Amino acid sequence: MNLDYVREEFEQRAFDYDGLIPRLIPHYREQHDLILQLIPFETNANIKVLDLGAGTGILSALILQAFPQAKVLAFDMAENMLKICQTNLSAFGKRLTLQQGNFAEADFGSGYDLVVSGLAIHHLDSAGKQQLFHQLFQSMNPEGILLIRDIVTGATPKLTEQYEKLWRQYMKASGEDDAAWFQNYLKEDIPSSVEEQTKWLAEAGFANAACHWRYLNFAIFGGVVRK
Ligand SMILES: C[S@@+](CC[C@H](N)C(=O)[O-])C[C@H]1O[C@@H](n2cnc3c(N)ncnc32)[C@H](O)[C@@H]1O
């Protein structure tokens, strides 16, 4: 899938993203409580954070709110998503920086204590994910934490089929056109299993590479940097 196509889709969806996304992703808001609980730093820690595929800034906002000394780089390829991010998070002033770029090829900096990424890395194919995990490991400080929440496949094709069927039921029950969204997913998304991705994280150097939560074809997983 051409990333230009994905970027164009997000440029258009930016304006209703915040209202729409909980109707498409089961337990979307509940995931945020767990993501925060999985961050091991003291509340007053002076941490440098990267939000990869930040979109309208939901994960950046959570972190800036919970860690008043944190500084966050919200990185995204869609200009309109970043514009809304800037508006939504204006109260955080200079603690938030925005950068537009494609994380498959751009330099997103280094020295990060925490990297979060929500619903973005599945746009890369298997090789792209593995390359990104290596780059992320290099970009992070010792004891840094990586937390990814993403759409994933099941461990087997049969499980994937079962999860996707139940996911479609969720979207339909939320009032969405599940057939249209599912077609869109087949066209745009390249999910990998959480089993493969935790293996790739370990191969990239991350310790404690593991899945922390999963519900059907959605998971929160990551690792720790021990250098
Ligand atoms: C579904 S939104 C997720 C927003 C937010 N992180 C969340 O958890 O709700 C995915 C975002 O990732 C961005 N994205 C996808 N692939 C990207 C890439 N290769 N480089 C930069 N941004 C990317 C899209 O532009 C979009 O804003």
Side-chain angles (χ1 to χ4, degrees), residues 69 97 103 136 147 155 162:
Q69 310 291 330
T97 308
F103 55 62
L136 284 174
L147 289 171
Q162 214 178 350

Side-chain angles (χ1 to χ4, degrees), residues 50-69:
L50 171 65
D51 182 357
L52 216 51
T56 58
I58 181 75
L59 295 180
S60 295
L62 277 180
I63 292 160
L64 287 162
Q65 183 85 45
F67 296 92
Q69 310 291 330

Side-chain angles (χ1 to χ4, degrees), residues 3 6-7 10-11 13 17-18 21 25 28 32 51-59 75-79 81-82 100-105 116-124 149:
L3 273 176
V6 175
R7 185 178 53 73
F10 281 107
E11 295 293 12
R13 273 184 226 145
Y17 181 84
D18 291 346
I21 198 72
I25 310 296
Y28 180 75
H32 299 158
D51 182 357
L52 216 51
T56 58
I58 181 75
L59 295 180
F75 188 99
D76 203 287
M77 64 182 175
E79 188 182 357
M81 293 296 256
L82 287 178
Q100 189 182 359
N102 171 3
F103 55 62
E105 49 192 38
V116 290
S117 183
L119 302 170
I121 294 175
H122 67 269
H123 293 295
L124 302 182
R149 66 112 161 250

Side-chain angles (χ1 to χ4, degrees), residues 82-93:
L82 287 178
K83 276 186 187 157
I84 291 173
C85 179
Q86 180 145 47
T87 306
N88 286 351
L89 279 62
S90 61
F92 297 108

Side-chain angles (χ1 to χ4, degrees), residues 40-41 112-114 140-146 223-227:
F41 303 111
Y112 295 108
D113 304 296
L114 171 65
M140 292 173 67
N141 289 336
E143 301 309 313
I145 304 289
L146 170 66
V224 183
V225 177
R226 299 261 150 75
K227 287 182 180 166

